[in-house]
Amino acid sequence: MIVLQTNQLTKSFGVNEVLKGVTLTVQDHHRVGLVGSNGSGKSTLLKILAGQDAYDGGTLSTTRGLRIGFHTQLDDLTSERTVWQEMETCFAGVFEMEEQLRQMEARMGELHDVDPEQYARLSEDYAKLTDRFEEEDGYSWRSRLQGVLTGLGFTSAQYDQSVPSLSGGERTRLKLGKLLLLRTDLLLLDEPTNHLDLTSIQWLEDYLRAYKGAVVVVSHDRYFLDAVCNSIAELSFGKIEQYEGNYTRYLKLREEVMVRRLKEYTLQQKEIAREEAIIAQYRAYNTEASHIKAKSREKRLSKIERLEKPVEEHNVFFRFHAGRGTGNDVLLCEDLSKSFGERRLFHGLNLHVRAGDRIALLGANGVGKSTLLKILVGQEAPDAGSVRFGAGVEVGYYDQQQQGLHPDKDVLNEVWDDFPRTDQTTIRNALAGFLFTGDDVLAPISTLSGGERGRVLLTKLMLRQDNFLILDEPTNHLDMDSREMLETALLGFEGTILTVSHDRYFINRIADRVIVMEPDGVTEYIGNYDDYLEKAAQKALPEEDLAPAKTKTALREEKKREKAAQEAARRQRELVANLETRITDLEGQMTELEIEMSDPDTYADNARAQALSRKYDELQKKIAALYEEWEAAQS
């Protein structure tokens, strides 16, 4: 059953047309992921669906009586209540019913022996209200409330804490918790995983999968979209394309659609060019019969429904290169400890990073992951222990706080000042790869968004050509396409990577080792995030459920097999990244050829036109062959 539907919805802000004909269908029990580049209008669309913003044209229809819950990114919860009292407001209707039931019970006691007929009627009403009370969780509201608070990371010690005393992130979580407790038919969620740790995100995934209504969610967390969504709606150029399946399925389907549309467009352009050449030839004959044939063909050509060339949003495109190699030992940390006053972050931490490792560093919030990275790059000093880098190691650092940027500089000089011996053309070309073109490079750093600042930092990191990348939340602020390109660039990087990230999709693609930080050391897992989850779950099993203990030889062999499998997976990822780069390059050449072939002067030179056509056909065949290799490499 369709619960919400839009048809050709439009919305403008002044001369800026954000939505240009959005058609979206939300079925009951569907979990729709709304994706698109930053600034594409996702939050605007959610506000319109929630009834908070008006739309300019088109239609929006919902089922009668549809109850909508809307979670925004704004910290707008204003209340003087405690955490528990604020959550209790979700059950005001339950409390009213409970009071009614108590009053009815008292009245029935008075009528039992006095007025049997009225007692019977009241008993019937009491039974109906009791059923409603039970349906509304009248007997279990406390456990539901506590379950949501716990799931979202609130401790029992915080139940009596006042709402004004919470941090902005805690208030946002509390607002989300209230929304989840309300019985709505449709949840509209704008970045619901913001301010949640991994444990709370996993709890939210389970909650939404079991949710009885429909969900439309905007999120940059691709792993979350994979886990929760069964439909993806991509908002691009003001319109929506809807795909069935989760995020990974959407990527595959979108690629197939783009390839098919480009092929259809190319074939039609080729046919149009052939018809136009024939018409031009008939015109050149300059006879009455040839003019009649030319007009006939022109009329037929004018009736063709011309396909638009498939275009994607401009994407960041870059590669990381290591200027030189390193020895096998890249980093050795021994017995590191760090505290701030009475608060100890970690103690006795040991870490060995080898050449070619791709390590994801995980751990609870506050365990000191970012602090450890700052120690490694010399921005913080450890209280105890040592840090030693191997021979030839050159460290590149990405700081999630973006503190290395100078707000008064423009984009061009922010980068150029770090590479004064590099010519301006090279700097501009590097910035163009990160979507800074034309006058964009003259914008002051202070005026940039978080995502734009992140792209400036990545430009500088790429130009450095370091062989050991230390990355602190590198996907923060980046839109999905930029994250995909960052991952592709890192997959083709021949150096070593150590990264802190909450982006589980990123970790799955990049990591071949996961190291979990704890206050008294680290625990290492071979593999990516999914491998870590599986092995951590096995460790948590009761001893009687575990397989018999393995010998040291068997464990060594198992670790060797895991390393070999990870190495094979890495080579596979590099192959895929290389194929994607080659396809992108060839498609760029095809676009240039299409522009050249559409030039009227081309048709005046028959030999040139034929040569370009042959080259175009060769490129098509090469791209088709590469796509076959790419599909085989993905399986």
Side-chain angles (χ1 to χ4, degrees):
M1 180 182 71
I2 296 174
V3 297
L4 179 144
Q5 192 168 41
T6 71
N7 185 39
Q8 295 300 311
L9 213 62
T10 61
K11 176 68 177 179
S12 298
F13 295 97
V15 296
N16 182 24
E17 191 178 16
V18 178
L19 306 180
K20 303 177 182 179
V22 167
T23 297
L24 173 69
T25 299
V26 181
Q27 303 271 1
D28 195 18
H29 304 304
H30 263 207
R31 284 96 177 88
V32 181
L34 183 59
V35 303
S37 60
N38 291 341
S40 61
K42 301 185 296 295
S43 294
T44 297
L45 179 56
L46 281 192
K47 289 176 183 176
I48 290 172
L49 299 183
Q52 291 191 1
D53 275 3
Y55 51 94
D56 301 329
T59 61
L60 167 61
S61 57
T62 63
T63 56
R64 182 175 295 178
L66 184 73
R67 296 169 298 178
I68 297 176
F70 183 31
H71 174 73
T72 68
Q73 301 180 56
L74 297 175
D75 171 21
D76 56 0
L77 184 61
T78 56
S79 168
E80 297 298 322
R81 303 182 186 94
T82 66
V83 167
W84 185 269
Q85 289 169 344
E86 186 64 28
M87 294 290 277
E88 275 186 330
T89 62
C90 298
F91 298 99
V94 169
F95 300 153
E96 288 177 10
M97 281 191 284
E98 188 173 26
E99 179 60 29
Q100 277 185 273
L101 289 171
R102 301 292 83 82
Q103 291 175 4
M104 292 170 79
E105 287 167 0
R107 182 60 177 154
M108 284 191 297
E110 295 171 359
L111 295 172
H112 187 271
D113 297 322
V114 178
D115 191 338
E117 187 176 334
Q118 192 176 351
Y119 174 83
R121 286 197 300 269
L122 191 57
S123 295
E124 188 176 338
D125 292 341
Y126 180 84
K128 289 177 182 177
L129 185 58
T130 301
D131 289 341
R132 274 187 55 210
F133 182 74
E134 190 169 352
E135 287 171 7
E136 296 294 326
D137 296 319
Y139 298 111
S140 59
W141 68 267
R142 286 183 180 82
S143 60
R144 272 196 69 207
L145 192 159
Q146 188 171 2
V148 168
L149 284 176
T150 302
L152 293 177
F154 288 94
T155 64
S156 57
Q158 292 178 289
Y159 291 175
D160 293 328
Q161 192 173 340
S162 68
V163 171
S165 70
L166 299 177
S167 67
E170 287 170 335
R171 284 194 297 273
T172 302
R173 280 190 282 138
L174 188 65
K175 188 174 69 169
L176 175 61
K178 288 182 62 179
L179 184 63
L180 297 179
L181 285 178
L182 296 173
R183 290 189 174 275
T184 55
D185 306 304
L186 172 63
L187 282 176
L188 304 175
L189 307 175
D190 194 359
E191 297 291 355
T193 61
N194 284 1
H195 310 293
L196 299 184
D197 60 20
L198 287 178
T199 301
S200 295
I201 292 173
Q202 289 163 5
W203 173 87
L204 182 60
E205 289 168 356
D206 292 338
Y207 189 97
L208 292 178
R209 279 195 295 263
Y211 183 69
K212 293 179 180 178
V215 178
V216 177
V217 57
V218 171
S219 178
H220 282 83
D221 189 332
R222 296 160 295 168
Y223 197 99
F224 175 83
L225 294 176
D226 257 355
V228 170
C229 295
N230 52 21
S231 177
I232 300 292
E234 180 188 39
L235 182 55
S236 179
F237 298 109
K239 296 187 176 182
I240 273 183
E241 295 261 8
Q242 204 160 350
Y243 301 84
E244 288 304 306
N246 63 8
Y247 181 79
T248 299
R249 174 71 175 157
Y250 142 75
L251 288 179
K252 186 174 187 299
L253 291 175
R254 183 180 66 165
E255 185 67 34
E256 291 172 357
V257 167
M258 289 299 294
V259 169
R260 187 188 74 245
R261 287 179 179 169
L262 182 59
K263 184 177 181 180
E264 291 170 352
Y265 170 81
T266 303
L267 290 173
Q268 188 186 67
Q269 289 297 302
K270 200 170 184 179
E271 179 61 21
I272 290 171
R274 190 182 72 83
E275 282 293 323
E276 288 174 341
I278 292 171
I279 291 167
Q281 193 66 50
Y282 278 137
R283 293 285 185 197
Y285 290 152
N286 201 25
T287 66
E288 185 178 349
S290 66
H291 278 300
I292 291 171
K293 289 181 179 179
K295 284 182 179 179
S296 175
R297 282 184 175 267
E298 283 176 340
K299 186 176 181 180
R300 188 170 61 194
L301 188 60
S302 68
K303 291 181 179 178
I304 292 177
E305 186 179 346
R306 306 241 173 169
L307 301 175
E308 291 184 10
K309 183 176 180 180
V311 181
E312 293 192 85
E313 301 273 11
H314 291 300
N315 289 334
V316 176
F317 181 76
F318 60 99
R319 306 287 291 176
F320 287 113
H321 295 288
R324 60 172 179 167
T326 66
N328 185 56
D329 293 325
V330 171
L331 171 67
L332 191 64
C333 300
E334 294 182 331
D335 293 325
L336 281 184
S337 298
K338 183 65 179 178
S339 299
F340 289 101
E342 297 296 317
R343 183 176 166 229
R344 189 177 79 176
L345 297 182
F346 51 83
H347 174 76
L349 186 147
N350 296 295
L351 181 63
H352 188 186
V353 179
R354 300 172 180 83
D357 278 347
R358 294 160 182 272
I359 300 172
L361 198 60
L362 305 184
N365 291 343
V367 78
K369 302 184 293 296
S370 293
T371 301
L372 173 61
L373 297 194
K374 283 180 166 51
I375 289 172
L376 299 183
V377 299
Q379 293 185 7
E380 291 278 357
D383 297 335
S386 63
V387 175
R388 288 188 289 121
F389 289 98
V393 173
E394 297 168 336
V395 177
Y397 175 54
Y398 181 94
D399 176 16
Q400 68 161 318
Q401 303 298 330
Q402 304 175 340
Q403 292 178 348
L405 298 176
H406 304 85
D408 297 330
K409 288 185 181 180
D410 60 39
V411 171
L412 177 61
N413 286 295
E414 174 65 39
V415 177
W416 203 1
D417 286 352
D418 279 16
F419 305 92
R421 295 183 180 180
T422 305
D423 62 88
Q424 184 179 146
T425 301
T426 302
I427 299 295
R428 278 182 168 270
N429 287 339
L431 285 167
F434 289 86
L435 307 185
F436 293 105
T437 58
D439 291 342
D440 295 342
V441 302
L442 304 179
I445 296 295
S446 60
T447 66
L448 301 184
S449 68
E452 289 167 333
R453 293 185 184 202
R455 298 205 308 269
V456 172
L457 284 173
L458 288 172
T459 306
K460 296 167 78 170
L461 196 60
M462 179 190 73
L463 288 169
R464 285 175 56 91
Q465 297 193 353
D466 297 308
N467 50 33
F468 182 26
L469 299 181
I470 296 179
L471 312 173
D472 193 4
E473 298 289 0
T475 62
N476 275 9
H477 310 296
L478 297 182
D479 61 30
M480 288 183 174
D481 285 335
S482 297
R483 292 181 186 202
E484 295 282 344
M485 292 308 300
L486 172 61
E487 289 158 6
T488 300
L490 291 175
L491 287 170
F493 177 58
E494 59 270 30
T496 305
I497 299 170
L498 174 64
T499 180
V500 168
S501 179
H502 283 85
D503 188 335
R504 297 163 295 168
Y505 198 95
F506 172 80
I507 297 170
N508 256 357
R509 288 195 71 189
I510 296 302
D512 56 21
R513 285 170 66 195
V514 171
I515 293 179
V516 180
M517 276 185 67
E518 294 156 345
D520 293 317
V522 298
T523 305
E524 179 180 338
Y525 300 85
I526 302 296
N528 61 14
Y529 185 79
D530 283 343
D531 297 323
Y532 149 69
L533 282 184
E534 181 182 346
K535 289 167 185 173
Q538 289 175 354
K539 285 181 68 174
L541 288 173
E543 195 170 324
E544 59 269 20
D545 291 343
L546 297 174
K550 298 177 182 177
T551 65
K552 289 184 178 180
T553 303
L555 287 171
R556 278 197 300 270
E557 288 298 318
E558 182 179 341
K559 194 165 186 177
K560 191 185 296 182
R561 285 194 300 272
E562 287 179 340
K563 286 289 283 183
Q566 292 302 319
E567 182 61 31
R570 180 193 298 178
R571 288 196 297 269
Q572 191 81 346
R573 291 194 298 267
E574 290 174 353
L575 172 62
V576 169
N578 181 260
L579 287 169
E580 289 172 349
T581 301
R582 290 167 63 190
I583 289 170
T584 301
D585 290 343
L586 291 179
E587 287 178 341
Q589 293 178 39
M590 277 186 71
T591 301
E592 292 173 3
L593 271 180
E594 287 168 3
I595 295 170
E596 193 173 354
M597 289 167 72
S598 64
D599 186 345
D601 292 341
T602 300
Y603 295 104
D605 186 344
N606 190 47
R608 180 187 171 201
Q610 289 183 359
L612 290 176
S613 181
R614 283 194 299 272
K615 188 174 180 181
Y616 191 85
D617 290 340
E618 288 171 7
L619 281 175
Q620 279 187 310
K621 290 175 184 176
K622 287 180 181 178
I623 290 173
L626 286 173
Y627 268 118
E628 286 181 9
E629 287 185 54
W630 181 81
E631 288 176 2
Q634 294 279 42
S635 59

